[in-house]
Amino acid sequence: MKSSITYLHHRNIDFDLWDKCISEAANSRLYAGSWYLDRTAVDWDAMVWGDYEYVMPLPVRRRLGISYIYQPLFCQQLGIFPPPPPEVAREFFIALQQRFRYMEIQLNASNLPPRDMKGMEFSARKNFLLPVGADYQIIEAGYSTNTRRNIGKAMDSHLNFSAGIPMEAFLEFKQNNQQAKLPGDAMQKLKSIIAYCLYKGIGEIAGVYSPGNNLCAAVFFCKWHERVIYLNAVSNDEGKQARAMFYLIDRFIRSVAGEDYAIDFEGSMIPGVARFFEGFGAAPEVYYQAKYNSLPAILNLLKKISP
């Protein structure tokens, strides 16, 4: 097969065609929209097959005179859109190897590793999805015993759920929590994402208040196609003690039960976090991280360049 891939620098991308391709793709992801990449990767190029038949966003950084591909913060799955046939996927990865000496990027769940890609490593990762199209009672029947017990403890704490937390309150709460606090650049990116999603009507911040009317847990959700993404969450010590996040997720599920989409928990390779999501009946969705490293040995010793 003759390759039809073009490498496009950011300034040469047709963003109308790009966003049309992403939006109409069967594997469409929030993270691959131009507006989202502009807020997370900031500097990103692309590989495009034909007339935007298949596209692959490339977050690019440069260090020690070498350009490399990395996975931006707040950006779980990228890769190729729409799902390509194996021979097309292979051409994309060959083109990546020819252009870059180093890459570490997470693909989307519809991108399977091409066979016999020499020098490139693919490792499986887990996302967690919970369809909410059924009645709440049916969804709740899939909760684990531990999750039910923690929701019961939370209810005994007389918590209050709110579906409309202001962005400023959420960000202040996050910054005041030492474990969840973000550096300035990351906080600005998150603020920009939240502001845009709220403006477009695809974002919502849900929270839980203690009996003393103190915010103790909150989650920023973003709706994209058939998914509502659990994009950023935070709870403080009071919230953890009261099991507030269990209560928040349960109340959110109650509020959306019967709608034709799934809650996308974004997954975790941390066993305790994975158990939290699985406790609500969420099922794993496998996606792959692709890694390629042909840097000179001295550079690998001097500087690890992946974020």
Side-chain angles (χ1 to χ4, degrees), residues 231-261:
L231 209 147
N232 200 265
V234 58
S235 59
N236 60 14
D237 290 339
E238 183 180 21
K240 292 172 184 175
Q241 184 70 27
R243 309 299 196 271
M245 195 60 73
F246 285 91
Y247 182 71
L248 190 160
I249 299 303
D250 176 63
R251 287 300 303 267
F252 184 78
I253 290 171
R254 287 174 184 264
S255 72
V256 298
E259 300 190 29
D260 191 21
Y261 53 77

PDB file of all heavy atoms in Angstrom, residues 231-261:
ATOM      1  N   LEU A 231     -13.635  13.973  34.593  1.00  0.00           N
ATOM      2  CA  LEU A 231     -12.388  14.538  34.107  1.00  0.00           C
ATOM      3  C   LEU A 231     -11.444  15.022  35.204  1.00  0.00           C
ATOM      4  O   LEU A 231     -10.230  14.939  35.068  1.00  0.00           O
ATOM      5  CB  LEU A 231     -12.685  15.675  33.124  1.00  0.00           C
ATOM      6  CG  LEU A 231     -11.613  15.870  32.053  1.00  0.00           C
ATOM      7  CD1 LEU A 231     -12.233  16.340  30.746  1.00  0.00           C
ATOM      8  CD2 LEU A 231     -10.574  16.871  32.489  1.00  0.00           C
ATOM      9  N   ASN A 232     -11.991  15.495  36.296  1.00  0.00           N
ATOM     10  CA  ASN A 232     -11.125  15.928  37.393  1.00  0.00           C
ATOM     11  C   ASN A 232     -11.909  15.893  38.693  1.00  0.00           C
ATOM     12  O   ASN A 232     -13.054  16.353  38.738  1.00  0.00           O
ATOM     13  CB  ASN A 232     -10.594  17.336  37.123  1.00  0.00           C
ATOM     14  CG  ASN A 232      -9.354  17.632  37.956  1.00  0.00           C
ATOM     15  OD1 ASN A 232      -9.447  18.208  39.029  1.00  0.00           O
ATOM     16  ND2 ASN A 232      -8.191  17.241  37.458  1.00  0.00           N
ATOM     17  N   ALA A 233     -11.301  15.335  39.717  1.00  0.00           N
ATOM     18  CA  ALA A 233     -11.997  15.161  40.990  1.00  0.00           C
ATOM     19  C   ALA A 233     -11.099  15.555  42.152  1.00  0.00           C
ATOM     20  O   ALA A 233      -9.868  15.490  42.055  1.00  0.00           O
ATOM     21  CB  ALA A 233     -12.448  13.712  41.155  1.00  0.00           C
ATOM     22  N   VAL A 234     -11.738  15.944  43.258  1.00  0.00           N
ATOM     23  CA  VAL A 234     -10.973  16.313  44.447  1.00  0.00           C
ATOM     24  C   VAL A 234     -11.847  16.136  45.685  1.00  0.00           C
ATOM     25  O   VAL A 234     -13.056  16.375  45.651  1.00  0.00           O
ATOM     26  CB  VAL A 234     -10.473  17.775  44.349  1.00  0.00           C
ATOM     27  CG1 VAL A 234     -11.626  18.747  44.164  1.00  0.00           C
ATOM     28  CG2 VAL A 234      -9.629  18.161  45.554  1.00  0.00           C
ATOM     29  N   SER A 235     -11.239  15.659  46.770  1.00  0.00           N
ATOM     30  CA  SER A 235     -11.928  15.629  48.064  1.00  0.00           C
ATOM     31  C   SER A 235     -10.901  15.944  49.136  1.00  0.00           C
ATOM     32  O   SER A 235      -9.717  15.652  48.986  1.00  0.00           O
ATOM     33  CB  SER A 235     -12.587  14.271  48.320  1.00  0.00           C
ATOM     34  OG  SER A 235     -11.632  13.241  48.302  1.00  0.00           O
ATOM     35  N   ASN A 236     -11.356  16.562  50.219  1.00  0.00           N
ATOM     36  CA  ASN A 236     -10.441  16.888  51.314  1.00  0.00           C
ATOM     37  C   ASN A 236     -10.537  15.833  52.413  1.00  0.00           C
ATOM     38  O   ASN A 236     -11.237  14.830  52.274  1.00  0.00           O
ATOM     39  CB  ASN A 236     -10.703  18.303  51.848  1.00  0.00           C
ATOM     40  CG  ASN A 236     -12.116  18.473  52.396  1.00  0.00           C
ATOM     41  OD1 ASN A 236     -12.833  17.492  52.626  1.00  0.00           O
ATOM     42  ND2 ASN A 236     -12.512  19.714  52.602  1.00  0.00           N
ATOM     43  N   ASP A 237      -9.829  16.048  53.487  1.00  0.00           N
ATOM     44  CA  ASP A 237      -9.811  15.058  54.566  1.00  0.00           C
ATOM     45  C   ASP A 237     -11.205  14.834  55.145  1.00  0.00           C
ATOM     46  O   ASP A 237     -11.582  13.699  55.452  1.00  0.00           O
ATOM     47  CB  ASP A 237      -8.851  15.502  55.674  1.00  0.00           C
ATOM     48  CG  ASP A 237      -7.390  15.427  55.243  1.00  0.00           C
ATOM     49  OD1 ASP A 237      -7.098  14.683  54.282  1.00  0.00           O
ATOM     50  OD2 ASP A 237      -6.548  16.106  55.852  1.00  0.00           O
ATOM     51  N   GLU A 238     -11.976  15.919  55.279  1.00  0.00           N
ATOM     52  CA  GLU A 238     -13.338  15.789  55.804  1.00  0.00           C
ATOM     53  C   GLU A 238     -14.186  14.933  54.862  1.00  0.00           C
ATOM     54  O   GLU A 238     -14.953  14.072  55.297  1.00  0.00           O
ATOM     55  CB  GLU A 238     -13.969  17.171  55.973  1.00  0.00           C
ATOM     56  CG  GLU A 238     -15.365  17.142  56.572  1.00  0.00           C
ATOM     57  CD  GLU A 238     -15.981  18.515  56.728  1.00  0.00           C
ATOM     58  OE1 GLU A 238     -15.534  19.450  56.022  1.00  0.00           O
ATOM     59  OE2 GLU A 238     -16.913  18.664  57.546  1.00  0.00           O
ATOM     60  N   GLY A 239     -14.013  15.171  53.553  1.00  0.00           N
ATOM     61  CA  GLY A 239     -14.764  14.399  52.573  1.00  0.00           C
ATOM     62  C   GLY A 239     -14.381  12.938  52.568  1.00  0.00           C
ATOM     63  O   GLY A 239     -15.235  12.050  52.444  1.00  0.00           O
ATOM     64  N   LYS A 240     -13.088  12.670  52.706  1.00  0.00           N
ATOM     65  CA  LYS A 240     -12.639  11.275  52.738  1.00  0.00           C
ATOM     66  C   LYS A 240     -13.181  10.553  53.966  1.00  0.00           C
ATOM     67  O   LYS A 240     -13.601   9.396  53.891  1.00  0.00           O
ATOM     68  CB  LYS A 240     -11.113  11.223  52.701  1.00  0.00           C
ATOM     69  CG  LYS A 240     -10.517  11.694  51.376  1.00  0.00           C
ATOM     70  CD  LYS A 240      -9.002  11.810  51.435  1.00  0.00           C
ATOM     71  CE  LYS A 240      -8.452  12.364  50.128  1.00  0.00           C
ATOM     72  NZ  LYS A 240      -6.994  12.601  50.170  1.00  0.00           N
ATOM     73  N   GLN A 241     -13.160  11.247  55.096  1.00  0.00           N
ATOM     74  CA  GLN A 241     -13.666  10.656  56.330  1.00  0.00           C
ATOM     75  C   GLN A 241     -15.161  10.339  56.224  1.00  0.00           C
ATOM     76  O   GLN A 241     -15.627   9.311  56.729  1.00  0.00           O
ATOM     77  CB  GLN A 241     -13.418  11.624  57.497  1.00  0.00           C
ATOM     78  CG  GLN A 241     -13.816  11.094  58.858  1.00  0.00           C
ATOM     79  CD  GLN A 241     -12.894   9.980  59.336  1.00  0.00           C
ATOM     80  OE1 GLN A 241     -11.740   9.906  58.958  1.00  0.00           O
ATOM     81  NE2 GLN A 241     -13.425   9.090  60.183  1.00  0.00           N
ATOM     82  N   ALA A 242     -15.891  11.207  55.534  1.00  0.00           N
ATOM     83  CA  ALA A 242     -17.345  11.045  55.408  1.00  0.00           C
ATOM     84  C   ALA A 242     -17.742  10.198  54.203  1.00  0.00           C
ATOM     85  O   ALA A 242     -18.933  10.021  53.949  1.00  0.00           O
ATOM     86  CB  ALA A 242     -18.005  12.418  55.311  1.00  0.00           C
ATOM     87  N   ARG A 243     -16.756   9.685  53.449  1.00  0.00           N
ATOM     88  CA  ARG A 243     -17.025   8.893  52.228  1.00  0.00           C
ATOM     89  C   ARG A 243     -17.807   9.723  51.203  1.00  0.00           C
ATOM     90  O   ARG A 243     -18.690   9.209  50.500  1.00  0.00           O
ATOM     91  CB  ARG A 243     -17.798   7.619  52.560  1.00  0.00           C
ATOM     92  CG  ARG A 243     -17.207   6.768  53.680  1.00  0.00           C
ATOM     93  CD  ARG A 243     -15.797   6.271  53.350  1.00  0.00           C
ATOM     94  NE  ARG A 243     -15.382   5.178  54.206  1.00  0.00           N
ATOM     95  CZ  ARG A 243     -14.771   5.311  55.378  1.00  0.00           C
ATOM     96  NH1 ARG A 243     -14.514   6.527  55.843  1.00  0.00           N
ATOM     97  NH2 ARG A 243     -14.414   4.254  56.087  1.00  0.00           N
ATOM     98  N   ALA A 244     -17.463  11.003  51.113  1.00  0.00           N
ATOM     99  CA  ALA A 244     -18.242  11.926  50.284  1.00  0.00           C
ATOM    100  C   ALA A 244     -18.197  11.589  48.795  1.00  0.00           C
ATOM    101  O   ALA A 244     -19.170  11.798  48.074  1.00  0.00           O
ATOM    102  CB  ALA A 244     -17.757  13.361  50.512  1.00  0.00           C
ATOM    103  N   MET A 245     -17.064  11.058  48.310  1.00  0.00           N
ATOM    104  CA  MET A 245     -16.978  10.764  46.880  1.00  0.00           C
ATOM    105  C   MET A 245     -17.885   9.597  46.499  1.00  0.00           C
ATOM    106  O   MET A 245     -18.458   9.583  45.411  1.00  0.00           O
ATOM    107  CB  MET A 245     -15.531  10.497  46.469  1.00  0.00           C
ATOM    108  CG  MET A 245     -15.305  10.543  44.973  1.00  0.00           C
ATOM    109  SD  MET A 245     -15.723  12.132  44.187  1.00  0.00           S
ATOM    110  CE  MET A 245     -14.348  13.155  44.751  1.00  0.00           C
ATOM    111  N   PHE A 246     -18.046   8.623  47.390  1.00  0.00           N
ATOM    112  CA  PHE A 246     -19.005   7.542  47.141  1.00  0.00           C
ATOM    113  C   PHE A 246     -20.411   8.124  47.008  1.00  0.00           C
ATOM    114  O   PHE A 246     -21.168   7.747  46.105  1.00  0.00           O
ATOM    115  CB  PHE A 246     -18.976   6.528  48.289  1.00  0.00           C
ATOM    116  CG  PHE A 246     -17.776   5.618  48.291  1.00  0.00           C
ATOM    117  CD1 PHE A 246     -16.632   5.965  48.995  1.00  0.00           C
ATOM    118  CD2 PHE A 246     -17.794   4.426  47.585  1.00  0.00           C
ATOM    119  CE1 PHE A 246     -15.521   5.127  49.005  1.00  0.00           C
ATOM    120  CE2 PHE A 246     -16.688   3.584  47.585  1.00  0.00           C
ATOM    121  CZ  PHE A 246     -15.547   3.930  48.297  1.00  0.00           C
ATOM    122  N   TYR A 247     -20.735   9.030  47.914  1.00  0.00           N
ATOM    123  CA  TYR A 247     -22.063   9.662  47.914  1.00  0.00           C
ATOM    124  C   TYR A 247     -22.257  10.495  46.647  1.00  0.00           C
ATOM    125  O   TYR A 247     -23.316  10.442  46.003  1.00  0.00           O
ATOM    126  CB  TYR A 247     -22.186  10.541  49.159  1.00  0.00           C
ATOM    127  CG  TYR A 247     -23.526  11.214  49.325  1.00  0.00           C
ATOM    128  CD1 TYR A 247     -24.659  10.483  49.667  1.00  0.00           C
ATOM    129  CD2 TYR A 247     -23.656  12.589  49.159  1.00  0.00           C
ATOM    130  CE1 TYR A 247     -25.887  11.105  49.836  1.00  0.00           C
ATOM    131  CE2 TYR A 247     -24.873  13.221  49.326  1.00  0.00           C
ATOM    132  CZ  TYR A 247     -25.990  12.473  49.662  1.00  0.00           C
ATOM    133  OH  TYR A 247     -27.208  13.085  49.828  1.00  0.00           O
ATOM    134  N   LEU A 248     -21.214  11.246  46.254  1.00  0.00           N
ATOM    135  CA  LEU A 248     -21.311  12.099  45.070  1.00  0.00           C
ATOM    136  C   LEU A 248     -21.584  11.275  43.816  1.00  0.00           C
ATOM    137  O   LEU A 248     -22.493  11.598  43.028  1.00  0.00           O
ATOM    138  CB  LEU A 248     -20.024  12.913  44.916  1.00  0.00           C
ATOM    139  CG  LEU A 248     -20.005  14.042  43.877  1.00  0.00           C
ATOM    140  CD1 LEU A 248     -18.886  15.037  44.201  1.00  0.00           C
ATOM    141  CD2 LEU A 248     -19.814  13.541  42.451  1.00  0.00           C
ATOM    142  N   ILE A 249     -20.809  10.205  43.614  1.00  0.00           N
ATOM    143  CA  ILE A 249     -20.975   9.394  42.407  1.00  0.00           C
ATOM    144  C   ILE A 249     -22.351   8.735  42.398  1.00  0.00           C
ATOM    145  O   ILE A 249     -23.032   8.694  41.357  1.00  0.00           O
ATOM    146  CB  ILE A 249     -19.865   8.329  42.292  1.00  0.00           C
ATOM    147  CG1 ILE A 249     -18.491   8.996  42.204  1.00  0.00           C
ATOM    148  CG2 ILE A 249     -20.102   7.443  41.070  1.00  0.00           C
ATOM    149  CD1 ILE A 249     -18.343   9.970  41.058  1.00  0.00           C
ATOM    150  N   ASP A 250     -22.785   8.234  43.531  1.00  0.00           N
ATOM    151  CA  ASP A 250     -24.108   7.613  43.598  1.00  0.00           C
ATOM    152  C   ASP A 250     -25.208   8.618  43.260  1.00  0.00           C
ATOM    153  O   ASP A 250     -26.129   8.309  42.489  1.00  0.00           O
ATOM    154  CB  ASP A 250     -24.341   7.028  44.993  1.00  0.00           C
ATOM    155  CG  ASP A 250     -25.738   6.450  45.137  1.00  0.00           C
ATOM    156  OD1 ASP A 250     -26.057   5.478  44.419  1.00  0.00           O
ATOM    157  OD2 ASP A 250     -26.521   6.983  45.946  1.00  0.00           O
ATOM    158  N   ARG A 251     -25.130   9.814  43.804  1.00  0.00           N
ATOM    159  CA  ARG A 251     -26.150  10.827  43.515  1.00  0.00           C
ATOM    160  C   ARG A 251     -26.094  11.262  42.060  1.00  0.00           C
ATOM    161  O   ARG A 251     -27.123  11.523  41.433  1.00  0.00           O
ATOM    162  CB  ARG A 251     -25.973  12.036  44.445  1.00  0.00           C
ATOM    163  CG  ARG A 251     -26.393  11.798  45.892  1.00  0.00           C
ATOM    164  CD  ARG A 251     -27.872  11.408  45.994  1.00  0.00           C
ATOM    165  NE  ARG A 251     -28.723  12.409  45.403  1.00  0.00           N
ATOM    166  CZ  ARG A 251     -29.283  13.417  46.084  1.00  0.00           C
ATOM    167  NH1 ARG A 251     -29.067  13.528  47.386  1.00  0.00           N
ATOM    168  NH2 ARG A 251     -30.046  14.296  45.470  1.00  0.00           N
ATOM    169  N   PHE A 252     -24.888  11.339  41.500  1.00  0.00           N
ATOM    170  CA  PHE A 252     -24.781  11.708  40.087  1.00  0.00           C
ATOM    171  C   PHE A 252     -25.404  10.614  39.213  1.00  0.00           C
ATOM    172  O   PHE A 252     -26.117  10.912  38.253  1.00  0.00           O
ATOM    173  CB  PHE A 252     -23.319  11.923  39.703  1.00  0.00           C
ATOM    174  CG  PHE A 252     -23.138  12.408  38.284  1.00  0.00           C
ATOM    175  CD1 PHE A 252     -23.364  13.739  37.965  1.00  0.00           C
ATOM    176  CD2 PHE A 252     -22.759  11.527  37.272  1.00  0.00           C
ATOM    177  CE1 PHE A 252     -23.217  14.185  36.655  1.00  0.00           C
ATOM    178  CE2 PHE A 252     -22.606  11.963  35.970  1.00  0.00           C
ATOM    179  CZ  PHE A 252     -22.836  13.302  35.665  1.00  0.00           C
ATOM    180  N   ILE A 253     -25.146   9.360  39.553  1.00  0.00           N
ATOM    181  CA  ILE A 253     -25.746   8.258  38.803  1.00  0.00           C
ATOM    182  C   ILE A 253     -27.264   8.328  38.878  1.00  0.00           C
ATOM    183  O   ILE A 253     -27.968   8.133  37.872  1.00  0.00           O
ATOM    184  CB  ILE A 253     -25.227   6.901  39.329  1.00  0.00           C
ATOM    185  CG1 ILE A 253     -23.747   6.724  38.960  1.00  0.00           C
ATOM    186  CG2 ILE A 253     -26.055   5.739  38.779  1.00  0.00           C
ATOM    187  CD1 ILE A 253     -23.081   5.526  39.624  1.00  0.00           C
ATOM    188  N   ARG A 254     -27.791   8.626  40.058  1.00  0.00           N
ATOM    189  CA  ARG A 254     -29.244   8.796  40.199  1.00  0.00           C
ATOM    190  C   ARG A 254     -29.769   9.869  39.240  1.00  0.00           C
ATOM    191  O   ARG A 254     -30.833   9.719  38.643  1.00  0.00           O
ATOM    192  CB  ARG A 254     -29.599   9.207  41.635  1.00  0.00           C
ATOM    193  CG  ARG A 254     -29.485   8.118  42.685  1.00  0.00           C
ATOM    194  CD  ARG A 254     -29.726   8.716  44.065  1.00  0.00           C
ATOM    195  NE  ARG A 254     -29.546   7.761  45.135  1.00  0.00           N
ATOM    196  CZ  ARG A 254     -30.535   7.064  45.704  1.00  0.00           C
ATOM    197  NH1 ARG A 254     -31.782   7.231  45.279  1.00  0.00           N
ATOM    198  NH2 ARG A 254     -30.288   6.232  46.691  1.00  0.00           N
ATOM    199  N   SER A 255     -28.997  10.947  39.097  1.00  0.00           N
ATOM    200  CA  SER A 255     -29.474  12.090  38.308  1.00  0.00           C
ATOM    201  C   SER A 255     -29.436  11.842  36.802  1.00  0.00           C
ATOM    202  O   SER A 255     -30.141  12.506  36.048  1.00  0.00           O
ATOM    203  CB  SER A 255     -28.653  13.340  38.645  1.00  0.00           C
ATOM    204  OG  SER A 255     -27.335  13.255  38.117  1.00  0.00           O
ATOM    205  N   VAL A 256     -28.589  10.881  36.353  1.00  0.00           N
ATOM    206  CA  VAL A 256     -28.446  10.649  34.912  1.00  0.00           C
ATOM    207  C   VAL A 256     -28.972   9.278  34.482  1.00  0.00           C
ATOM    208  O   VAL A 256     -28.979   8.985  33.282  1.00  0.00           O
ATOM    209  CB  VAL A 256     -26.976  10.792  34.466  1.00  0.00           C
ATOM    210  CG1 VAL A 256     -26.477  12.199  34.731  1.00  0.00           C
ATOM    211  CG2 VAL A 256     -26.074   9.759  35.130  1.00  0.00           C
ATOM    212  N   ALA A 257     -29.414   8.452  35.422  1.00  0.00           N
ATOM    213  CA  ALA A 257     -29.889   7.112  35.085  1.00  0.00           C
ATOM    214  C   ALA A 257     -31.009   7.185  34.053  1.00  0.00           C
ATOM    215  O   ALA A 257     -31.890   8.041  34.127  1.00  0.00           O
ATOM    216  CB  ALA A 257     -30.365   6.388  36.339  1.00  0.00           C
ATOM    217  N   GLY A 258     -30.933   6.281  33.073  1.00  0.00           N
ATOM    218  CA  GLY A 258     -31.930   6.252  32.015  1.00  0.00           C
ATOM    219  C   GLY A 258     -31.505   6.969  30.753  1.00  0.00           C
ATOM    220  O   GLY A 258     -32.153   6.852  29.710  1.00  0.00           O
ATOM    221  N   GLU A 259     -30.402   7.715  30.817  1.00  0.00           N
ATOM    222  CA  GLU A 259     -29.898   8.425  29.641  1.00  0.00           C
ATOM    223  C   GLU A 259     -28.939   7.517  28.869  1.00  0.00           C
ATOM    224  O   GLU A 259     -28.231   6.699  29.444  1.00  0.00           O
ATOM    225  CB  GLU A 259     -29.230   9.733  30.052  1.00  0.00           C
ATOM    226  CG  GLU A 259     -30.190  10.681  30.775  1.00  0.00           C
ATOM    227  CD  GLU A 259     -29.599  12.061  30.973  1.00  0.00           C
ATOM    228  OE1 GLU A 259     -28.759  12.477  30.160  1.00  0.00           O
ATOM    229  OE2 GLU A 259     -29.985  12.718  31.960  1.00  0.00           O
ATOM    230  N   ASP A 260     -28.902   7.708  27.562  1.00  0.00           N
ATOM    231  CA  ASP A 260     -28.212   6.768  26.683  1.00  0.00           C
ATOM    232  C   ASP A 260     -26.735   7.106  26.509  1.00  0.00           C
ATOM    233  O   ASP A 260     -26.298   7.518  25.435  1.00  0.00           O
ATOM    234  CB  ASP A 260     -28.910   6.733  25.317  1.00  0.00           C
ATOM    235  CG  ASP A 260     -28.404   5.592  24.449  1.00  0.00           C
ATOM    236  OD1 ASP A 260     -27.848   4.630  25.014  1.00  0.00           O
ATOM    237  OD2 ASP A 260     -28.546   5.667  23.208  1.00  0.00           O
ATOM    238  N   TYR A 261     -25.978   6.966  27.578  1.00  0.00           N
ATOM    239  CA  TYR A 261     -24.536   7.131  27.491  1.00  0.00           C
ATOM    240  C   TYR A 261     -23.875   6.397  28.649  1.00  0.00           C
ATOM    241  O   TYR A 261     -24.546   5.718  29.431  1.00  0.00           O
ATOM    242  CB  TYR A 261     -24.117   8.603  27.448  1.00  0.00           C
ATOM    243  CG  TYR A 261     -24.646   9.479  28.553  1.00  0.00           C
ATOM    244  CD1 TYR A 261     -24.107   9.440  29.827  1.00  0.00           C
ATOM    245  CD2 TYR A 261     -25.673  10.395  28.313  1.00  0.00           C
ATOM    246  CE1 TYR A 261     -24.568  10.261  30.831  1.00  0.00           C
ATOM    247  CE2 TYR A 261     -26.147  11.223  29.312  1.00  0.00           C
ATOM    248  CZ  TYR A 261     -25.597  11.149  30.570  1.00  0.00           C
ATOM    249  OH  TYR A 261     -26.064  11.963  31.561  1.00  0.00           O
TER     250      TYR A 261
END
